[in-house]
């Protein structure tokens, strides 16, 4: 097999979709027992072709609890409804600023969770 230059490899990666590239990175990490330091940063590098497409193709979102607000008990109840956590785990999560309530969920699920938590009085962001 002929050895590819760095430019040839980059040309091949440009043709991959974001999902294909993520699968490649995972396979690479498993094969060589390493982890990518910032795989998202590579896709969002300034001037990188397809960086705008990467933003449009995002299909997994994290629901992050920024603060519980005044109605902490209601927020704990909502967290328990959204997750399979017990009372103590839900309370600990609510007490932790910047805690992820849900990870890698669909956009509609993330928006519903955000609306439910905000209705209970929490401050929430979706990333």
């Amino acid at each position: 097999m002929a050895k590819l230059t760095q430019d040839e490899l980059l040309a091949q990666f440009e043709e991959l979709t974001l999902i294909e590239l993520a699968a490649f990175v995972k396979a690479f990490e498993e094969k060589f027992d390493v982890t990518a330091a910032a795989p998202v940063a590579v896709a969002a590098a300034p001037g990188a072709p397809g960086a705008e497409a990467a933003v449009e193709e995002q299909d997994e979102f994290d629901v992050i609890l920024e603060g519980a607000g005044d109605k902490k008990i209601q927020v704990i109840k909502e967290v328990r409804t959204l997750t399979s956590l017990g009372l103590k785990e839900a309370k600990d999560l609510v007490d932790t600023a910047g805690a992820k309530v849900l990870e890698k969920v669909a956009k509609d699920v993330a928006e519903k969770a955000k609306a439910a938590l905000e209705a209970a009085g929490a401050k929430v962001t979706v990333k």
Side-chain angles (χ1 to χ4, degrees):
M1 177 177 198
K3 186 174 181 179
L4 298 175
T5 66
Q6 184 175 1
D7 291 333
E8 291 170 332
L9 283 171
L10 289 173
Q12 291 296 317
F13 288 130
E14 285 179 344
E15 296 175 11
L16 296 176
T17 66
L18 188 57
I19 294 171
E20 291 170 332
L21 187 58
F24 170 77
V25 170
K26 185 176 180 182
F28 186 90
E29 289 173 342
E30 290 174 2
K31 169 100 175 151
F32 296 104
D33 195 28
V34 296
T35 57
V40 175
V42 172
E52 293 176 18
V55 173
E56 294 173 13
E57 291 181 23
Q58 182 178 359
D59 60 351
E60 293 180 338
F61 297 86
D62 295 338
V63 179
I64 301 171
L65 183 65
E66 300 295 333
D70 296 334
K71 302 177 183 177
K72 186 175 176 181
I73 293 173
Q74 295 298 330
V75 174
I76 293 171
K77 287 180 181 179
E78 281 302 322
V79 168
R80 290 192 68 203
T81 301
L82 295 169
T83 64
S84 60
L85 296 176
L87 181 60
K88 181 179 180 346
E89 292 84 6
K91 181 186 177 299
D92 291 343
L93 189 132
V94 170
D95 288 339
T96 306
K100 291 182 182 178
V101 178
L102 298 173
E103 293 184 68
K104 298 181 180 178
V105 296
K107 184 175 183 174
D108 60 331
V109 174
E111 291 300 324
K112 286 179 186 176
K114 179 181 178 184
L117 288 167
E118 286 178 342
K123 183 179 177 191
V124 181
T125 57
V126 175
K127 292 185 182 181

